Structures are given as structure tokens and as C-alpha cells.
Amino acid sequence: MDHVVVDDLDNSLQPAAVMRHLTDPLDCSDLAINYYELAPGDSFAFAYHNHEVQEEVFVVLSGTATWAVGPEPTDGAFEDAGDPAERREVEVGPMEAIRIPPGQFQRGWNRAEEGGERVTALALGAPLAYGEQLKRDDCPDCGRERSVDIERAPDDEAQLVTVCADCGAEVARWRRGADGENERVR
């Protein structure tokens, strides 16, 4: 048996104010598990994405999270993110859960207004390895959704950026704030 105190774990630089990896501290071999706290406007992920083989379950402990999901995964359609206009939104409130099947494109957010309630949640994924992951976001230079990569910021190794795979533009940037929580810069 392994035991951890979640608040004692390091905060990983992510699009959430707080994200703590529990997988390794709990010595999980077939399950990924992460703890999240999302301030208003924060996301669970760097971009709209999917996992080739991993299914995910998010359990919202407090607040309300909203997922953009779609299209439904079909055999051989792993790379099809679908038309953004055809995605649906699913709200998940306190003590509710959502399952994202392998191949399903998704991104969860805290859509509360500034100063609103935080979302706290657990994310569980199995198997531990998620296979290939495709990521998409709106590129400001291309003017539409494009594939993105996550990289260290070229001007500050302590920050992470998403970069358009087509034109190389920086799409978004995150850093650790003075209070120790993560924040989106751009």
C-alpha cells in the first residue's frame, strides 16, 4: 500500500492553477491519476486533444467543469478532430463524473467568471500509457484551429508554450506565478 498527502506533492506546470501527479508517488503501474484545481478560465489540458488508447474519467469534487467533446471516435478515425462547430459541451458538477473514451477529442474548462468558484477534480486514465496524443488549438496567425506542439519557451525555459505546427506561431503560454500557482500569460 502507498499513501500520499496531495498537498505535499509538487505543482506541475500546466494550464490549471494546480496540477499534482499522483501516479508515481502512489507507484501505480496501470493507472494515471492527477489532482487538479482550476481557477476561473483555466483548463485541464494545453489544447483540445485525444488519447489513442487511454480512456479517462474525471471526477469533479467541487465547482462545475465544462468539456468540449466530439466527434465520437470511430475505427480508423483517430486523427479526425472534426469541425469545431459540431462539438458539444457537457457540464459536470460536484460529485459527478465524465468518461472520455480512447480516441475522443476533448478539453475541459472552468468557465466561471473571474472571481468565481474553483473547480477541483481527479483525473484517472487507464492504461497508464496513452499512446499517441493529437493536440489542436486556435492559431492567432492562421486564424483557425491547427495542430499544436507543447514546448519550453525559447526565451524562458521555466515557461511552457503551445506552438502552431503549421506556421510556428506561439498560441498560448503558461508560467508559475508569484503565489506558486500556474497562470496563463497569453
Side-chain angles (χ1 to χ4, degrees):
M1 184 197 85
D2 293 285
H3 172 260
V4 298
V5 176
V6 174
D7 286 341
D8 290 347
L9 301 174
D10 290 337
N11 184 13
S12 177
L13 183 55
Q14 298 283 328
V18 176
M19 193 278 221
R20 301 185 198 289
H21 295 283
L22 283 81
T23 306
D24 289 341
L26 289 172
D27 199 28
C28 295
S29 59
D30 294 316
L31 174 71
I33 183 168
N34 298 304
Y35 169 81
Y36 288 90
E37 291 181 25
L38 278 63
D42 284 356
S43 174
F44 287 97
F46 288 100
Y48 190 67
H49 70 286
N50 68 356
H51 300 278
E52 183 179 22
V53 297
Q54 186 183 70
E55 68 180 327
E56 290 183 289
V57 173
F58 292 85
V59 180
V60 174
L61 304 172
S62 66
T64 299
T66 304
W67 269 265
V69 296
E72 295 302 317
T74 58
D75 289 339
F78 171 70
E79 295 187 21
D80 182 12
D83 180 351
E86 295 178 8
R87 296 177 186 148
R88 69 184 194 285
E89 289 197 347
V90 179
E91 283 193 357
V92 182
M95 301 312 293
E96 294 180 353
I98 184 172
R99 175 188 173 265
I100 310 294
Q104 175 78 66
F105 276 87
Q106 57 93 5
R107 188 174 188 184
W109 296 88
N110 178 353
R111 298 267 193 222
E113 297 292 323
E114 184 70 31
E117 185 176 13
R118 280 186 175 236
V119 169
T120 60
L122 290 175
L124 303 105
L128 182 58
Y130 52 74
E132 189 175 347
Q133 182 185 57
L134 302 174
K135 297 170 283 302
R136 301 183 63 83
D137 206 351
D138 293 325
C139 174
D141 289 6
C142 292
R144 61 190 175 124
E145 185 179 278
R146 309 301 301 153
S147 292
V148 295
D149 297 309
I150 303 166
E151 302 173 359
R152 291 279 172 193
D155 57 341
D156 186 344
E157 286 287 313
Q159 297 184 17
L160 293 175
V161 295
T162 50
V163 176
C164 177
D166 287 345
C167 74
E170 184 177 305
V171 175
R173 180 182 287 245
W174 293 268
R175 69 177 177 208
R176 180 96 60 228
D179 61 0
E181 293 193 352
N182 303 317
E183 59 186 18
R184 186 173 175 150
V185 179
R186 170 189 166 141

